[in-house]
Amino acid sequence: MSADLGRGGSAPLEAAHPATAPREAGGLDAADLKRSGAAIELRGLTKAYGTSQAVRGVDLTIEPGEFMTFLGPSGSGKTTTLNMIAGFVPPTSGEILVDGRPLAATPPHRREMGMVFQGYALFPHLSVWDNIEFPLRQRKMPKARRRELVRAAVRTVQLEGFERRRPAQLSGGQQQRVAFARAIVYRPPVLLMDEPLGALDKKLREALQEEIREIHRKVGTTFLYVTHDQEEALSLSDRIAVYDDGRIVQVGTAEELYERPRSLFVAQFLGESTLLRGVVHPDDPRRLHAGAHGIPLSGSHGVRGDAVVVIRPEQLRLTAGGPAPGRAGVPVTVRDETYLGHSRKLTVELPGGHTGLVREGPGTASGLRVGDSGYATWDPAAAAVVPDL
Amino acid sequence: MSRRIPLKIFGALVALWLVAPTLVVIPLSFTGQRSLAFPPERWSLRWYEAFFDDRRWVADLLNSLQIAALVGVLATVAGTAASYALTRGRFRGRGVAGALLIAPMLVPTVVFGVGVYALFLELRLVGTFTGFLVAHTVLALPFVIIPVSSVLSRFDTTLERAAAICGASRARAFFRVTLPVIAPGLLSGFMFAFVTSFDEVVVSLFISSPYLETLPVRMYSSIQRDVDPTIAAAATLIICFTSALIAVALLAQSRRRRVS
Ligand SMILES: Nc1ncnc2c1ncn2[C@@H]1O[C@H](COP(=O)(O)OP(=O)(O)OP(=O)(O)O)[C@@H](O)[C@H]1O
Ligand SMILES: [Mg+2]
């Protein structure tokens, strides 16, 4: 469904942006796309409720047109941050700047943002059409223009034929699309989404993720997306800000976060890994002391003292003999294996009784079976070193 | 299905018991006799004639209708504003304010009537249209505040946030989103307020004058002077007006439900 999404809807949508040149221009060009998203900067953003701090000093710069995702466990402050950006919740301290202008004095209805709420928040007394037209009416657009824009938005979310229905007469996925159409119909420079797919089943989520990605590509709006689903974050975002307890603990692309986590929290929150605990002595940063073993490190990390080496399952190789020159390795015993079609996931026992995870593809099969002993080896440059808690 | 029949019979009996005294008035109003004897032996429309021929009965009916309609509007507007403040506001004394607004429903009406009379003497409001409006609106407020507060507290406030982020100011969000969604509560509030005023006797007796009285006041005083079936006709008219009002409201509500 996503393939012809933007094709039908994008041109009229583009024209909806207040700053857009005459409509006859038709299609999108790169300059238009650049112009349509706004830059957002958060500076020392804090929100305290009584003595408890929901958000504790968030600093973040979001590029125009970027797809930024807030990812974090429940209660970590994602919604609060989004609500401060939308203007629903006044910050205790700190600043929000959109295209360099501070927002503090601007009420929500003047912020020119679109928002998709977790429960959709469709107006129950209005039809699909009137829901989508609502933001245009607030902007006092002429009737013909409104009709054209609503029709384009309806086409974008593929709801033709449903215009006269009430929200209560739609399925969850259809309601979600209406919420989306209402948020993008006037082509806001910033689109905020708080777990927009949270209430949907997996199949529908995946279909709509595809659509959201497609629309983002077409409209060029800056997207701010909240989720606690790491797969969703990894597949949609340009960059991800990982939240923990009111703070952003790391910002980066999906790859950076996966391959170069800077804390144990990020390493464990995003994907599976094998953890090796030990100590890094200040005068020997290229070695982790873990019991009797010395584990070579790449040395480019800044961690001293208690440290953890994080190795992703696909970076580990099993061998019968010791590690090849240049590779690190620990002796292991295979405890369990799971076939995953084209790959195999093995659970191994590390020295000290800890468990590790190895993923073997067709080219990296070791032939080791459950009960066999051998070595798990890796390239020290492909492992992340983070401080232990 | 068959096991439901006893339940249905029981329900019908209860309903009959509740409305029977009211329904008895209707045949009485069509009696051909000069007394309120039940059942009537002859039938006629003469008491309706008597009602509509007497300018004072008609004037009082019109007074009651006007006052009730205006009280309905005033109490609905003021009660909705008060409910909004009570459910959304975060101010000191919110609990006290809520209790005070509900108080007219709990204070014995006679006590309220004496107080209003004393106050209105001072303010020269006895026997005035304004006086009736003020007193009845105060009495009707709780009947608006209770249903409207209940729909407001169930109202999903993210709808107002959604309206705001769509570009609607607070006022526009209220009128375009909140108000239409809570409209059923307002409608029942209006109806309760209308009926509260339309059949109010006790306080009205205190504040009426020979120049301005309402239909219930006239009925009450007429039954003390002479037992005349005209009041049965008046009572039947009151039943018709209130039933029509309730029917309209129910129809509006069921149409609403069908649409959504
Ligand atoms: N109005 C409020 N009053 C008091 N505390 C609040 C309020 N709103 C949020 N909090 C607290 O602030 C913290 C952050 O809440 P927030 O809603 O931002 O979390 P979240 O990251 O969006 O979580 P989730 O993934 O569960 O939606 C929580 O501990 C929450 O209890
Ligand atoms: Mg949240």
Side-chain angles (χ1 to χ4, degrees):
Chain A
M1 75 177 31
S2 59
D4 40 319
L5 256 183
R7 220 186 289 149
S10 61
L13 268 175
E14 164 61 18
H17 191 263
T20 308
R23 260 195 298 116
E24 305 82 72
L28 299 167
D29 60 55
D32 262 349
L33 283 176
K34 275 276 179 299
R35 187 147 34 93
S36 54
I40 302 175
E41 198 181 337
L42 311 179
R43 284 190 194 154
L45 204 57
T46 301
K47 180 68 197 180
Y49 289 108
T51 53
S52 78
Q53 294 215 300
V55 174
R56 323 164 174 244
V58 162
D59 295 290
L60 185 66
T61 304
I62 303 161
E63 305 294 331
E66 190 172 19
F67 196 127
M68 171 67 82
T69 298
F70 292 168
L71 175 69
S74 189
S76 57
K78 309 177 296 287
T79 297
T80 307
T81 307
L82 210 66
N83 284 341
M84 286 193 278
I85 296 171
F88 301 141
V89 170
T92 306
S93 65
E95 260 194 319
I96 301 161
L97 299 104
V98 171
D99 283 338
R101 283 185 303 274
L103 272 190
T106 315
H109 69 278
R110 299 242 170 76
R111 292 200 174 188
E112 294 292 323
M113 292 177 179
M115 185 154 180
V116 180
F117 295 82
Q118 178 161 16
Y120 315 137
L122 298 177
F123 306 129
H125 60 296
L126 298 180
S127 66
V128 167
W129 180 280
D130 292 341
N131 262 280
I132 300 173
E133 196 184 27
F134 190 88
L136 306 178
R137 281 186 180 271
Q138 306 315 310
R139 287 167 177 74
K140 311 246 186 315
M141 280 190 193
K143 193 172 176 187
R145 187 94 189 88
R146 293 203 305 257
R147 189 180 310 141
E148 183 185 345
L149 290 173
V150 174
R151 201 168 283 158
V154 166
R155 211 180 319 131
T156 304
V157 297
Q158 305 205 322
L159 277 176
E160 291 108 327
F162 292 92
E163 293 91 339
R164 292 281 136 239
R165 294 221 196 157
R166 298 284 172 118
Q169 298 166 316
L170 299 177
S171 73
Q174 289 163 343
Q175 291 181 35
Q176 207 281 338
R177 286 152 197 254
V178 178
F180 206 83
R182 185 179 67 182
I184 60 170
V185 67
Y186 61 98
R187 194 72 196 292
V190 177
L191 187 60
L192 310 174
M193 287 179 273
D194 192 355
E195 304 200 29
L197 307 180
L200 304 175
D201 67 60
K202 195 167 152 53
K203 245 193 140 113
L204 198 51
R205 286 172 78 108
E206 280 165 7
L208 287 169
Q209 279 172 23
E210 189 60 37
E211 268 178 50
I212 289 172
R213 211 188 352 246
E214 191 66 27
I215 293 172
H216 175 248
R217 214 169 10 240
K218 294 292 179 188
V219 299
T221 290
T222 306
F223 275 39
L224 249 168
Y225 193 95
V226 169
T227 181
H228 55 234
D229 179 335
Q230 48 134 328
E231 275 178 42
E232 194 168 296
L234 292 173
S235 79
L236 285 176
S237 330
D238 292 327
R239 283 194 301 158
I240 300 166
V242 181
Y243 268 76
D244 182 26
D245 195 20
R247 290 192 183 83
I248 294 181
V249 289
Q250 192 171 350
V251 187
T253 63
E255 273 178 357
E256 282 166 8
L257 293 175
Y258 187 74
E259 289 168 10
R260 296 267 152 235
R262 282 207 303 267
S263 65
L264 201 52
F265 177 81
V266 174
Q268 289 184 306
F269 201 75
L270 281 128
E272 298 171 317
S273 47
T274 299
L275 306 178
L276 297 170
R277 288 192 151 80
V279 178
V280 178
H281 291 303
D283 48 348
D284 185 15
R286 303 185 66 91
R287 187 156 300 273
L288 179 84
H289 295 272
H293 297 272
I295 294 170
L297 306 176
S298 75
S300 59
H301 61 89
V303 184
R304 301 292 181 269
D306 289 345
V308 184
V309 176
V310 178
I311 314 149
R312 298 299 182 182
E314 52 285 342
Q315 296 294 344
L316 278 179
R317 298 277 179 277
L318 291 180
T319 53
R327 284 181 77 84
V330 289
V332 296
T333 307
V334 179
R335 287 289 174 229
D336 194 17
E337 60 174 289
T338 315
Y339 283 101
L340 300 166
H342 58 287
S343 68
R344 199 163 69 117
K345 196 159 97 180
L346 297 115
T347 308
V348 297
E349 188 180 319
L350 304 170
H354 301 294
T355 53
L357 278 174
V358 182
R359 189 189 291 270
E360 292 190 332
T364 56
S366 62
L368 292 188
R369 290 282 171 269
V370 173
D372 291 351
S373 289
Y375 281 84
T377 74
W378 67 94
D379 175 4
V385 184
V386 300
D388 202 352
L389 297 178
Chain B
M1 203 59 214
S2 61
R3 253 182 300 151
R4 285 248 185 103
I5 287 173
L7 184 66
K8 280 184 177 169
I9 292 171
F10 180 72
L13 282 175
V14 170
L16 190 69
W17 189 69
L18 287 174
V19 298
T22 313
L23 293 182
V24 161
V25 171
I26 296 173
L28 275 184
S29 71
F30 293 102
T31 183
Q33 293 147 288
R34 277 205 63 84
S35 74
L36 285 172
F38 187 83
E41 286 166 13
R42 284 176 286 124
W43 303 94
S44 85
L45 285 174
R46 60 187 280 207
W47 303 112
Y48 286 90
E49 259 181 76
F51 183 93
F52 284 105
D53 280 347
D54 186 335
R55 305 237 321 252
R56 300 204 51 181
W57 277 111
V58 175
D60 290 351
L61 171 64
L62 292 180
N63 282 343
S64 277
L65 284 175
Q66 276 179 53
I67 291 169
L70 274 169
V71 164
V73 173
L74 286 175
T76 306
V77 172
T80 304
S83 307
Y84 197 80
L86 291 174
T87 46
R88 296 292 173 74
R90 296 279 169 271
F91 54 91
R92 278 176 59 111
R94 191 160 57 105
V96 176
L100 282 176
L101 285 163
I102 299 298
M105 199 170 80
L106 306 173
V107 174
T109 325
V110 184
V111 175
F112 183 79
V114 173
V116 167
Y117 182 64
L119 191 66
F120 277 16
L121 275 180
E122 192 69 28
L123 299 171
R124 298 177 175 282
L125 284 174
V126 174
T128 63
F129 196 77
T130 316
F132 273 98
L133 283 188
V134 171
H136 284 189
T137 302
V138 171
L139 280 176
L141 268 179
F143 295 96
V144 175
I145 289 176
I146 289 169
V148 175
S149 295
S150 130
V151 288
L152 266 178
S153 60
R154 271 181 285 122
F155 177 82
D156 176 8
T157 51
T158 54
L159 290 182
E160 281 173 2
R161 289 184 165 186
I165 208 77
C166 284
S169 64
R170 275 182 79 128
R172 279 182 78 87
F174 179 78
F175 285 108
R176 291 295 154 87
V177 175
T178 314
L179 207 54
V181 174
I182 65 169
L186 257 65
L187 187 68
S188 60
F190 173 85
M191 278 183 7
F192 280 127
F194 183 97
V195 172
T196 302
S197 163
F198 195 58
D199 76 1
E200 210 295 317
V201 200
V202 180
V203 175
S204 303
L205 273 172
F206 280 100
I207 61 172
S208 61
S209 75
Y211 310 104
L212 186 68
E213 58 180 17
T214 54
L215 190 59
V217 170
R218 180 157 183 82
M219 286 167 70
Y220 184 78
S221 34
S222 91
I223 205 163
Q224 285 176 319
R225 264 181 276 116
D226 53 326
V227 181
D228 173 343
T230 311
I231 72 161
T236 307
L237 287 173
I238 291 186
I239 295 171
C240 289
F241 277 115
T242 43
S243 309
L245 194 67
I246 291 168
V248 167
L250 286 178
L251 265 173
Q253 224 145 358
S254 76
R255 253 196 48 200
R256 206 182 178 76
R257 213 166 292 134
R258 263 211 313 281
V259 179
S260 62

